[in-house]
Each structure stands twice: as structure tokens, then as C-alpha cells.
Amino acid sequence: MARLPVLALAAGTALLARRALRRRIAASPLWPLPALEEPVSGRPRSRALRLRVARHERVADGVVRLRLEGAALPPWQPGAHLDLVLPSGLVRQYSLCGDPEDSSSYTVAIRLIGAGQGGRGGSREVHERLREGDEVEVRGPRNRFPLADATSYVFVAGGIGITPILPMLRAVRASGAPWRLLYGGRSRASMPFLEEVERLGGAGRGRVTVVAEDEDGLPDVAAFLRGTPEGAAVHVCGPEALMEAVGAALPPGCSLHLERFSPRARTEGDTAFEVELRRSGRTVAVAADGTVLAAVRAALPDTAYSCEQGFCGTCRQRVLEGEIDHRDELLTDGERAGSMLICVSRARGERLVLDL
């Protein structure tokens, strides 16, 4: 019994120490601990999973499919994607194209993008270095391209853009809702999952229109969309030019849903601005043709980042002041109220203040 007062004294001392630490953190923005109750700056957005590459197979010219196996994997819905952390440390985002009912594996497909096409090494690592039996880290799934609730559907896919749309086709076909698909690519041999897509459409029903550029030229998007009934949901994944064409030809009363390969392009109206790094006591200049990430890393080289495309969330930072020009494809509307991805997003005015 004599130990009880000692234990009580120790517990009381620990409680007072924790309270003092919280007061010190609140009083000093330069204290070397995160200012947020749940820090977001430079942190992964979801827990990581270690999965095994059970299958690595070529499914079209320049396209491989990965089957990543694990146990009791988090569920997902059509349109979702994963962050794939490659052995080199590169982080890339790939749409899930398998079966959402399969909780033991995720399936993604990756097109090889060369340096001359804007590739930065991720797809080449998947194609040339990743092997069956290797372990990889994944984060997610996350879904910024969900299947809309509609009376009818129109899908437009360009090349590897078929990957998020394929599970949508399966779901819509199972539901019995009316749907049509325009699927374009450089050649039929380069278009992944083409046989399954045509099989889903059914022979002679006119649901699937395939346009191979080497045979037929570019697809006539306006002609394909003509006559689409009011209330239809139009889902598009592909190059920026394809999405712009669909947006320009969108019939009245239809909703447009987009999944981009890359962040929104910079505009001619971009201007220079300043970014104050509040906790560090520094201010950096962001040029009209520069990024916040580059400016911040010049002052704080250890600032975390990965994809530089506005997809992975590694560079997300809390914004204390200023209006944000969001250009990412990741954050929810709620998250955008007080944070930004500094690799692609900018200021709408002359100044931003970051919690850095």
C-alpha cells in the first residue's frame, strides 16, 4: 500500500509535464513540433500497405498490368486510384481496373511513358525493374472520379484512360442502365482491355465505338455526343485535348465528370507572388513560371514532395492566410479550405502564408 502515494505522485507529475508542453507549443510557433492537432504537412494521406506483385503481364503494346495481392484490403468503388510507392521511392498514381468485390488483390495497368513524352521514370521502373514476387507499398484507395448517379451514361476514354472507366462499364452493365462508350487510341494493338470492352458492349448493339487513330484518324467527339439524352452523366478520362473536346460539345442538361492524366496546365495569366513561411520566419518569391514547391525547397530543402503532379498529397501544406488557386486532383472541398498542394497550386493574389 505504501507504493500508492508514489505512483499517484508520478502520475500527477507526468500530467503536469504534458500540460506544460501543450502550453509551450501553443505559445511558440517556432517550437519544433507540428502546429496542427493532426499534422498534414509533408505527411502521407493514408496508411501504407505492403503488397506482393503476384502478376506482371503485358496487355497491350507498351502497357503492363499488375496484380497486387494482400489480405483483407480496403474496399474501393469504380473510379478509385492507388498511390504506388516504387522500390526507388518514386510515388505514382494508377487507377484501379480490377474487381471491387475482390478483397485479396488490387489491379492496375501502366503505360510506358518515355522521357520524350514527359515521362519522369516511374512507368519505366514498373515496366523494366518490377518483377513478380517483389513487394511494393501502396496508399489508398482514394476516389476523385466516382461513378455518378444518373439515368444513363456516356463514357469517353483515350488510351490508358480506359482503366478507371472499365470497372464503371461493368457496374453500369450489371445495373441495366443505358450506356455508350467512345474508346480511342493510337492503334488497336496499343489499346488495353479492348476485347473485354467490346464484349461488354455486346455484338451489334452500338454501345461501343472504337476509333484507332492509325486507321480512322481522330474521333469525332461532337458527333458521338450528339443526341445524348438530358440527364446523362458523361465520364471522361484521357489527354487534356480529349477532355476539352468533350467539354466543348457537351449536350445541354448533361453532367461532365473528368479524370486527368496530369495537373491543369499553367495559364498565360499566371503572375509572381510571395509566400511567407510563418514558423521559419522567411519569405520566398514564386515566379510566374515557377512553383511554390521549388521556391519553398530553395529555403527549406527538406520539405517533402514526390509526384510533382498534384496527385499524391505528399507536399500538402496548411495555409494560414491568402486565397488559393487550387490545381490539384486530390483534395476534397473541405480540405481545400485550409491547405494546398504546393507542387501545382498557386496564389490568387500577391501573397500566401504557409504553416512552415
Side-chain angles (χ1 to χ4, degrees):
M1 298 296 290
R3 296 182 60 193
L4 289 178
V6 176
L7 293 175
L9 178 61
T13 301
L15 177 61
L16 291 173
R18 287 197 297 271
R19 288 176 176 173
L21 180 60
R22 283 198 293 268
R23 286 195 298 270
R24 184 172 182 183
I25 293 171
S28 175
L30 298 180
W31 176 255
L33 286 176
L36 296 174
E37 293 181 4
E38 296 183 3
V40 297
S41 297
R43 300 295 184 90
R45 289 171 50 82
S46 59
R47 70 184 182 92
L49 303 171
R50 297 292 298 181
L51 303 183
R52 183 178 65 89
V53 180
R55 186 173 298 171
H56 183 293
E57 59 182 337
R58 177 181 176 276
V59 292
D61 287 352
V63 180
V64 298
R65 174 171 54 190
L66 301 182
R67 178 182 170 90
L68 309 174
E69 290 188 345
L73 300 180
W76 61 280
Q77 297 297 323
H81 71 272
L82 289 176
D83 292 344
L84 179 61
V85 184
L86 298 171
S88 67
L90 291 175
V91 181
R92 297 294 183 262
Q93 291 67 45
Y94 300 113
S95 297
L96 288 162
C97 56
D99 180 4
E101 298 300 317
D102 180 5
S103 62
S104 66
S105 72
Y106 292 140
T107 300
V108 295
I110 299 96
R111 181 176 297 285
L112 178 62
I113 307 296
Q117 301 170 301
R120 294 172 297 123
S123 65
R124 185 165 297 281
E125 182 173 353
V126 170
H127 277 248
E128 299 180 359
R129 294 176 56 188
L130 210 57
R131 297 288 183 267
E132 292 182 0
D134 289 349
E135 280 197 347
V136 292
E137 181 179 305
V138 302
R139 301 171 189 155
R142 297 192 301 270
N143 200 339
R144 291 286 292 177
F145 187 49
L147 181 63
D149 183 11
T151 55
S152 64
Y153 296 87
V154 172
F155 302 97
V156 181
I160 198 66
I162 193 64
T163 49
I165 286 177
L166 184 59
M168 295 183 182
L169 299 180
R170 300 185 192 120
V172 171
R173 184 176 185 271
S175 75
W179 63 274
R180 294 187 301 129
L181 166 70
L182 173 61
Y183 184 15
R186 295 191 306 273
S187 66
R188 294 181 71 90
S190 72
M191 300 165 71
F193 311 117
L194 182 56
E195 290 185 5
E196 180 180 356
V197 165
E198 293 180 322
R199 187 168 61 251
L200 287 170
R205 296 189 179 182
R207 284 179 170 172
V208 174
T209 300
V210 176
V211 179
E213 188 176 341
D214 63 346
E215 300 173 9
D216 308 307
L218 295 174
D220 188 341
V221 172
F224 177 78
L225 293 175
R226 195 172 298 128
T228 299
E230 185 174 348
V234 181
H235 292 73
V236 191
C237 184
E240 191 71 26
L242 179 65
M243 291 189 289
E244 290 177 357
V246 174
L250 187 70
C254 296
S255 61
L256 181 61
H257 310 268
L258 304 175
E259 175 85 317
R260 286 182 163 83
F261 288 164
S262 58
R264 294 185 182 96
R266 295 175 182 166
T267 67
E268 294 181 359
D270 285 347
T271 58
F273 57 95
E274 288 187 344
V275 176
E276 178 188 341
L277 311 178
R278 178 63 55 83
R279 282 188 285 150
S280 303
R282 304 185 187 185
T283 298
V284 297
V286 180
D289 59 351
T291 67
V292 177
L293 175 63
V296 168
R297 280 182 56 80
L300 304 175
D302 292 334
T303 302
Y305 74 102
S306 182
C307 76
E308 298 184 80
Q309 297 281 304
F311 293 124
C312 75
T314 305
C315 70
R316 181 181 171 194
Q317 302 293 341
R318 186 186 185 203
V319 179
L320 304 178
E321 297 176 23
E323 188 177 0
I324 310 163
D325 179 7
H326 290 286
R327 302 187 183 184
D328 66 274
E329 297 297 325
L330 177 66
L331 300 182
T332 65
D333 290 341
E335 291 168 333
R336 288 181 173 185
S339 65
M340 67 185 287
L341 300 192
I342 63 173
C343 64
V344 293
S345 297
R346 303 179 64 80
R348 288 193 181 277
E350 298 180 352
R351 186 170 176 272
L352 288 174
V353 180
L354 300 183
D355 181 33
L356 268 172

